[in-house]
Amino acid sequence: MTGSSWLRIRAVARRHAYVLLRSPHRLFDVVLWPLVDVLLFGSLGVFVARQGTGGAVAFGYLLSGIVLWHVVYQAQIALSTGFLEETWSRNLLNLMVSPLREVEYACGVALFGMVKLVMGVGVVALAALGFYAFNVGRLGVGLIPIIALLLVVGWVIALFVIALVLRFGTGAEALAWGILFVVMPLSGVFYPVAALPWFLRPLAVTLPTTHAFAAGRSLIDGHGMQWGQLGLATASTVVAALAALGFLVLMLATFRRRGFVTRYS
């Protein structure tokens, strides 16, 4: 990476930082939404825990699940809405005629997205600790590779959403939020995928998130890291990343060839 390249990446990250600072309502995704999730799933976990046998396990699954899910959520929403911000402000044409390369733009948005991710996941973890005395840190260093995988999965989903927006325009923007509500139940965030209807289980096991959350539940149960699940999660993440990148390159070429940039000028 050259010095000028790093400078452009920092400029993109700074541009999105200014947008956040001057539009405080955008903090909803980073602060309020995580708090609502912790209150909802934490209170549900307390209620279930008081019902008898197995309740304590469900409590741990619910709270650890929502903390880890916000890694996917914050990574995905930061990158996809970062791109959407350019379409809303009709800045896409300006970017395309500048020396900025696509990979530099993606790195800049992802860099600022890391800041939002730390803020969002930090709010969830602190709220879980403060409201329900649940310390996700007690799961140990095994959380690190799981979090890293979920972070990459969030970026992969965002690339897929961006590719669809490039191809289909603003009509595909709803996927930036909606696609996660499809992935979440299929990933077994709060339960093993065996609890899903039988016809959805084959689809669920193809998702990298399914294996990452299975590895996380193993840590909650005190069984240590399930390296097999982690390996499956890594392999499926690599496949998904290659597929998303290929799809994005294809849609970007279509975007340029058909002049779809005029939608945002």
Side-chain angles (χ1 to χ4, degrees), residues 34-49 55-71 120-121 123-139 143 150 184 188-191 213 216-217 220:
L35 279 176
V36 169
D37 275 346
V38 172
L39 280 173
L40 175 63
F41 291 100
S43 300
L44 181 61
V46 169
F47 172 74
V48 173
V57 175
F59 174 77
Y61 283 5
L62 284 168
L63 276 173
S64 64
I66 199 60
V67 172
L68 292 176
W69 177 249
H70 264 274
V71 177
V121 176
V123 168
V124 175
L126 289 175
L129 180 63
F131 297 168
Y132 304 104
F134 179 83
N135 183 7
V136 70
R138 70 182 174 84
L139 300 182
L143 271 182
L150 294 176
M184 187 182 193
V189 174
F190 307 113
Y191 43 77
F213 282 103
R217 282 194 299 276
I220 284 282

Side-chain angles (χ1 to χ4, degrees), residues 74-135:
Q74 296 293 343
Q76 192 279 137
I77 211 72
L79 188 54
S80 56
T81 58
F83 171 77
L84 290 177
E85 180 63 37
E86 310 298 352
T87 66
W88 296 331
S89 59
R90 299 190 178 278
N91 191 39
L92 209 53
L93 182 59
N94 296 330
L95 292 175
M96 295 189 73
V97 298
S98 73
L100 183 71
R101 292 182 297 172
E102 290 85 353
V103 66
E104 293 169 345
Y105 177 78
C107 288
V109 177
L111 179 62
F112 179 65
M114 289 292 291
V115 176
K116 293 177 71 176
L117 184 143
V118 170
M119 292 170 62
V121 176
V123 168
V124 175
L126 289 175
L129 180 63
F131 297 168
Y132 304 104
F134 179 83
N135 183 7

Side-chain angles (χ1 to χ4, degrees), residues 2-263:
T2 64
S4 58
S5 182
W6 171 238
L7 187 64
R8 289 193 286 267
I9 291 171
R10 284 178 52 197
V12 171
R14 182 175 294 182
R15 175 257 196 279
H16 286 278
Y18 286 146
V19 171
L20 183 64
L21 289 174
R22 298 186 180 185
S23 305
H25 61 277
R26 296 175 192 274
L27 287 170
F28 182 88
D29 281 339
V30 183
V31 179
L32 290 181
W33 191 251
L35 279 176
V36 169
D37 275 346
V38 172
L39 280 173
L40 175 63
F41 291 100
S43 300
L44 181 61
V46 169
F47 172 74
V48 173
R50 289 173 179 169
Q51 302 309 304
T53 306
V57 175
F59 174 77
Y61 283 5
L62 284 168
L63 276 173
S64 64
I66 199 60
V67 172
L68 292 176
W69 177 249
H70 264 274
V71 177
V72 182
Y73 176 82
Q74 296 293 343
Q76 192 279 137
I77 211 72
L79 188 54
S80 56
T81 58
F83 171 77
L84 290 177
E85 180 63 37
E86 310 298 352
T87 66
W88 296 331
S89 59
R90 299 190 178 278
N91 191 39
L92 209 53
L93 182 59
N94 296 330
L95 292 175
M96 295 189 73
V97 298
S98 73
L100 183 71
R101 292 182 297 172
E102 290 85 353
V103 66
E104 293 169 345
Y105 177 78
C107 288
V109 177
L111 179 62
F112 179 65
M114 289 292 291
V115 176
K116 293 177 71 176
L117 184 143
V118 170
M119 292 170 62
V121 176
V123 168
V124 175
L126 289 175
L129 180 63
F131 297 168
Y132 304 104
F134 179 83
N135 183 7
V136 70
R138 70 182 174 84
L139 300 182
V141 296
L143 271 182
I144 295 174
I146 295 174
I147 288 174
L149 275 170
L150 294 176
L151 173 67
V152 176
V153 170
W155 286 340
V156 168
I157 296 173
L159 293 179
F160 182 70
V161 171
I162 291 170
L164 289 175
V165 172
L166 286 172
R167 176 61 183 84
F168 298 105
T170 55
E173 288 181 4
L175 289 172
W177 293 270
I179 196 169
L180 291 177
F181 290 101
V182 176
V183 176
M184 187 182 193
L186 292 175
S187 300
V189 174
F190 307 113
Y191 43 77
V193 292
L196 288 170
W198 64 268
F199 57 90
L200 290 176
R201 293 173 201 162
L203 175 60
V205 296
T206 63
L207 299 176
T209 43
T210 299
H211 303 289
F213 282 103
R217 282 194 299 276
S218 177
L219 295 178
I220 284 282
D221 293 335
H223 297 154
M225 174 61 75
Q226 288 191 357
W227 293 105
Q229 292 286 359
L230 197 65
L232 287 171
T234 304
S236 49
T237 299
V238 171
V239 171
L242 292 175
L245 282 171
F247 184 55
L248 179 63
V249 169
L250 184 63
M251 293 300 102
L252 185 59
T254 302
F255 181 83
R256 285 175 165 155
R257 188 174 64 253
R258 297 192 180 183
F260 288 160
V261 71
T262 55
R263 294 167 172 167

